[in-house]
Amino acid sequence: MFRRPRPAGRRLRRTALAGALSAALLGGAAVAVTEGGNRLPVALALPRTDVFTGERGRPADGPGLTFLLVGLDTRKGIPARERKRLHVGGRGCDCTDTMMLLHVSEDRRRVSVLSIPRDSYVPFARPAAGATPLRPVPRAGKINGAYAAGGPALTVRTVEQVTGVRVDHYLEADFRRFVRAVDALGGATVCTGKPLRDRWSGLDLPAGTHRVDGRGALRYVRARHLPPSGDLGRMRRQQAFLAEAVDRIADEGLLRDPAALARTARALLTTLRADSGLTTERLVTLGRALRGLDSRRAEFATVPLAEFDHRVPGWGSTLVWDRPRAERLFAALREDRPLTGQEAYRLPGPGVPVAWAPGDVRVRLRTGPEGAATAGRLERGLRDTGFRVRERRPAGPRETPPETTRITYPPREERRARALAAALPGAELHPVRGHPRVLEVRPGRDGVRVARVVHDRSSVQGRPVTGDTLDCDRPAE
């Protein structure tokens, strides 16, 4: 399933939804819909769905064009042998596993992608008049539950209600159709600077660059138990994949070939479920208008969060949005403005954002007689910014201080170490197997200063960025 890549200029990476769906939407690879070299039978095509049920209660129409892209967590219709082959065992929730708003600007010079965490706790929209929900619709719950209660129509209505963003088109994929879409688009390339293993998704990826088929891509994009763990890290990796896909499309001039555009549009609408108004002709027209797009004109963000473990009876642990910052992002989409402006994602306080709370980071200073004064200033500075400085440990009599401040820590504590390193600009990180859990700081001869930090995972893993900053060779945040 994992193969060494063929030589190539730029590397293509795709996500389960954003890559296979959006890359195809933006031009994709010019191929027919095939599986194992054979054209897919027409019976596999999903019927169109009517998701827009009247104008009452919907947000006002605005400039640009907005797609809601969803990926489903369902095992319905998947035989046991295929579930094992795809490594999608367990019970599905028949809900949305991935959800993104993709906005194309009115001038077709910018694409904005906003990921919506699936466990976001939101009020559900009421079903449209005359609609029969699949099950009773609760007043509120995890946003991914809207699909289980009312299918695509209730999902769209709920997203529109909680964001105020009008959805123009809808695209949906499940596990099998994602795999087919990636295979139809010629596979994907993934790369990592360290081995990635997640037994839950079946991912076992050595360090390096690899060409993957649809199954390999599915395992990669479903992985949640990787550093940075959880949905924020997974969504950021998906966004990085899409940024590479946009560049590959630009490099190969795929949007400039009318025949390729038409084939891709037909493949997309044959493989994925779309709203009834999304026609081949409309996709081709949009693709032609986007022919000058590259990753510098694509931007990616995640809805910012204020609470990561909001407990709700019947729903368990949920996520609560940071409403002021989230509303600034939604307003930017509604008004066709960039997400990457400073005002759109203002930090909750002054300082460098870190993904781990300083109060949960235990620190020990290792100093010699030559650094007593420096250690005192360092200890006070770290305490003032919230770190738990427990003690000082004297250096050995023959131990000379390093040139640059060094932080040593056990590999499993890398996220805590990164938070500490953000407070000590220029410090070097040194993971040490068997190291105590307490992080150790050895001041360097070149001096050390303490920078103020603010705990804000959303800013670290989900702040708005342009696609050219999400490079495959950059370390994960």
Side-chain angles (χ1 to χ4, degrees):
M1 177 171 57
F2 293 108
R3 302 184 292 275
R4 300 303 299 178
R6 297 185 296 251
R10 292 191 65 93
R11 295 182 292 271
L12 167 67
R13 298 177 293 173
R14 302 191 189 276
T15 119
L17 199 55
L21 311 191
S22 300
L25 172 66
L26 299 178
V31 293
V33 182
T34 61
E35 182 177 38
N38 300 314
R39 188 174 298 275
L40 289 176
V42 175
L44 285 174
L46 281 168
R48 298 297 185 89
T49 179
D50 292 320
V51 298
F52 307 113
T53 51
E55 291 296 310
R56 187 173 181 179
R58 297 191 65 198
D61 198 4
L65 198 62
T66 301
F67 293 76
L68 178 62
L69 313 175
V70 304
L72 301 184
D73 181 1
T74 181
R75 278 76 171 167
K76 286 183 178 178
I78 304 179
R81 178 178 297 179
E82 189 169 4
R83 288 200 302 269
K84 182 177 181 180
R85 186 176 70 90
L86 299 179
H87 209 92
V88 292
R91 296 180 58 185
C93 61
D94 295 328
C95 59
T96 53
D97 185 56
T98 304
M99 186 178 293
M100 293 179 173
L101 286 170
L102 184 149
H103 177 80
V104 182
S105 65
E106 183 72 17
D107 62 9
R108 305 303 191 246
R109 294 176 59 83
R110 184 185 70 254
V111 169
S112 304
V113 177
L114 182 62
S115 298
I116 301 175
R118 63 180 185 176
D119 291 339
S120 302
Y121 186 66
V122 301
F124 289 131
R126 295 297 92 193
T132 303
L134 302 174
R135 61 185 67 173
V137 181
R139 294 182 62 86
K142 294 181 179 180
I143 197 168
N144 66 348
Y147 191 96
L154 187 64
T155 299
V156 169
R157 289 176 67 86
T158 297
V159 170
E160 289 189 333
Q161 173 181 290
V162 297
T163 66
V165 176
R166 184 183 179 93
V167 174
D168 298 296
H169 290 295
Y170 174 88
L171 282 170
E172 169 194 303
D174 59 19
F175 296 140
R176 286 194 298 176
R177 295 183 188 279
F178 163 67
V179 170
R180 290 167 183 151
V182 172
D183 286 340
L185 294 170
T189 300
V190 297
C191 56
T192 175
K194 61 177 66 175
L196 297 178
R197 294 183 177 87
D198 180 3
R199 67 183 182 90
W200 298 100
S201 72
L203 180 68
D204 188 357
L205 187 66
T209 303
H210 308 270
R211 191 74 175 179
V212 297
D213 60 8
R215 284 192 300 154
L218 179 66
R219 293 182 179 189
Y220 187 93
V221 299
R222 290 187 64 233
R224 299 177 67 243
H225 303 276
L226 298 172
S229 60
D231 280 339
L232 280 183
R234 182 179 71 155
M235 286 185 288
R236 185 55 108 194
R237 287 189 291 269
Q238 292 173 350
Q239 293 166 3
F241 289 175
L242 182 53
E244 287 293 314
V246 169
D247 272 332
R248 184 251 187 167
I249 291 165
D251 289 348
E252 298 186 7
L254 297 175
L255 298 180
R256 300 179 184 276
D257 182 345
L261 265 177
R263 288 195 299 270
T264 298
R266 286 195 296 270
L268 175 67
L269 295 181
T270 303
T271 310
L272 308 174
R273 189 179 193 182
D275 66 272
S276 55
L278 186 58
T279 64
T280 300
E281 293 76 13
R282 186 156 198 185
L283 281 179
V284 170
T285 300
L286 178 61
R288 281 201 295 261
L290 291 170
R291 59 184 178 271
L293 184 73
D294 61 25
S295 64
R296 294 170 298 177
R297 296 180 180 178
E299 52 183 9
F300 304 86
T302 300
V303 175
L305 303 171
E307 190 173 348
F308 284 81
D309 190 21
H310 178 65
R311 297 283 169 167
V312 180
W315 294 96
S317 178
T318 69
L319 304 172
V320 176
W321 292 351
D322 182 329
R323 287 304 313 190
R325 284 197 290 170
E327 177 54 34
R328 287 195 286 271
L329 293 181
F330 301 149
L333 291 182
R334 291 194 297 266
E335 298 165 13
D336 200 28
R337 293 185 286 107
L339 302 179
T340 48
Q342 292 297 318
E343 290 301 308
Y345 210 84
R346 192 183 310 123
L347 295 179
V352 179
V354 294
W356 203 277
D360 289 336
V361 180
R362 295 184 296 169
V363 181
R364 178 174 61 205
L365 302 182
R366 183 179 180 88
T367 59
E370 78 292 339
T374 298
R377 290 193 300 271
L378 179 58
E379 181 174 353
R380 288 191 297 272
L382 289 174
R383 288 185 187 278
D384 288 345
T385 201
F387 291 94
R388 296 168 57 190
V389 183
R390 299 185 53 135
E391 59 187 358
R392 296 189 198 180
R393 180 181 178 185
R398 297 185 179 180
E399 184 180 342
T400 59
E403 184 65 28
T404 301
T405 298
R406 179 180 301 164
I407 300 172
T408 55
Y409 60 96
R412 66 179 181 277
E413 299 294 339
E414 182 169 352
R415 290 179 64 191
R416 285 185 172 90
R418 286 187 177 275
L420 179 58
L424 301 173
E428 296 179 349
L429 290 171
H430 289 268
V432 177
R433 292 188 180 278
H435 193 284
R437 189 176 181 184
V438 177
L439 279 58
E440 187 172 272
V441 177
R442 180 69 164 102
R445 289 192 296 270
D446 59 358
V448 61
R449 68 179 182 88
V450 180
R452 182 178 294 277
V453 298
V454 56
H455 179 216
D456 182 25
R457 283 180 60 189
S458 289
S459 290
V460 176
Q461 298 171 354
R463 68 186 183 278
V465 295
T466 54
D468 58 328
T469 67
L470 298 176
D471 188 84
C472 187
D473 294 324
R474 291 175 180 263
E477 293 175 302

